[in-house]
Amino acid sequence: MDPQSDYEIDELISAKSIAARVESLAKDIGTYFENTEKLIVIGLLRGSFVFIADLVRELEMPVEVDFMEVSSYGDTMESSREVRILKDLRGEIEGRDVLLVEDIIDTGHTMHHVLSLLQSRGPKKMEVCALLDKPSRREVKVDVRWIGFEIPDEFVVGYGIDYAQLNRNLAYIGKVRPPN
Ligand code: IMP
Ligand code: MG
């Protein structure tokens, strides 16, 4: 039994596999943005905070870090499809190269909404890196240039990702076993 809750969590992706994947993502991102003077890396709070912390430390180029928080879920496993801005960026992105970092692309509604909002601010180039992708759940198409891992339709926690705000501090990614 997971010590933080009354449900079970089975490991899906180990801390070691995550670290290796983050390193290789950072290499690809660095190559893609090699002509960028200063990249703005935007993390979508709160789920991406661990991922972005590891990712930027593997990037060997000047980066600024900013955050945005949108809400699309309550403390349930259901997607509401409604996206509200809870915290906006501190900086301007007009004319800048931007990397948007997300924890999971599920139905795609959150990223679709955030991308169209940020596009309207006129970045020079904007690309998305998501740690996890659940392609079988997609309802709207979103262009995600880098994906850490494709996962099946399971509810996952850990490495920044929560269930009812808990388990963000797990070093690995695990799936929540539904109660029998
Ligand atoms: P989408 O709008 O359906 O693509 O939802 C994306 C957001 O839903 C992600 O940023 C996560 O915060 C949340 N989400 C989707 N799947 C999971 C999951 O398995 N565990 C925790 N949060 C999830
Ligand atoms: Mg999220």
Side-chain angles (χ1 to χ4, degrees):
M1 199 74 81
D2 174 60
Q4 299 186 7
S5 47
D6 57 4
Y7 43 84
E8 313 250 354
I9 294 173
D10 301 319
E11 184 174 283
L12 194 62
I13 307 169
S14 70
K16 214 174 149 188
S17 313
I18 298 169
R21 187 69 187 115
V22 169
E23 200 184 317
S24 100
L25 285 170
K27 278 209 179 74
D28 295 348
I29 292 166
T31 303
Y32 183 86
F33 286 109
E34 66 187 349
N35 296 318
T36 299
E37 217 173 283
K38 194 167 42 167
L39 182 67
I40 305 186
V41 184
I42 297 175
L44 290 190
L45 294 173
R46 282 168 271 176
S48 73
F49 82 104
V50 175
F51 180 39
I52 195 175
D54 283 346
L55 189 66
V56 293
R57 283 180 292 176
E58 295 290 339
L59 288 174
E60 293 165 1
M61 63 188 299
V63 297
E64 289 177 20
V65 177
D66 205 342
F67 292 98
M68 182 170 204
E69 183 171 11
V70 300
S71 98
S72 49
Y73 283 71
D75 285 345
T76 70
M77 291 191 189
E78 286 300 307
S79 166
S80 67
R81 249 151 243 150
E82 210 172 275
V83 176
R84 278 189 305 139
I85 294 188
L86 302 178
K87 182 211 169 293
D88 207 339
L89 301 175
R90 287 289 295 274
E92 308 287 330
I93 59 168
E94 191 177 349
R96 303 285 306 272
D97 285 353
V98 174
L99 176 69
L100 202 48
V101 178
E102 172 63 312
D103 56 355
I104 307 177
I105 312 286
D106 187 29
T107 63
H109 288 281
T110 305
M111 190 45 75
H112 176 78
H113 183 92
V114 170
L115 275 172
S116 58
L117 177 89
L118 294 182
Q119 274 309 346
S120 74
R121 298 180 185 178
K124 188 165 139 212
K125 189 187 276 186
M126 184 165 57
E127 300 294 343
V128 178
C129 176
L131 177 66
L132 304 175
D133 182 23
K134 295 183 190 173
S136 65
R137 297 257 310 159
R138 197 75 84 253
E139 291 175 11
V140 288
K141 189 180 171 296
V142 280
D143 286 326
V144 181
R145 187 165 290 273
W146 299 283
I147 285 163
F149 302 90
E150 268 192 18
I151 58 167
D153 182 10
E154 302 276 3
F155 198 86
V156 295
V157 293
Y159 197 68
I161 300 162
D162 75 302
Y163 174 37
Q165 299 308 327
L166 287 176
N167 293 297
R168 293 190 194 274
N169 57 324
L170 296 177
Y172 60 91
I173 291 166
K175 57 181 182 181
V176 173
R177 196 184 308 161
N180 294 315

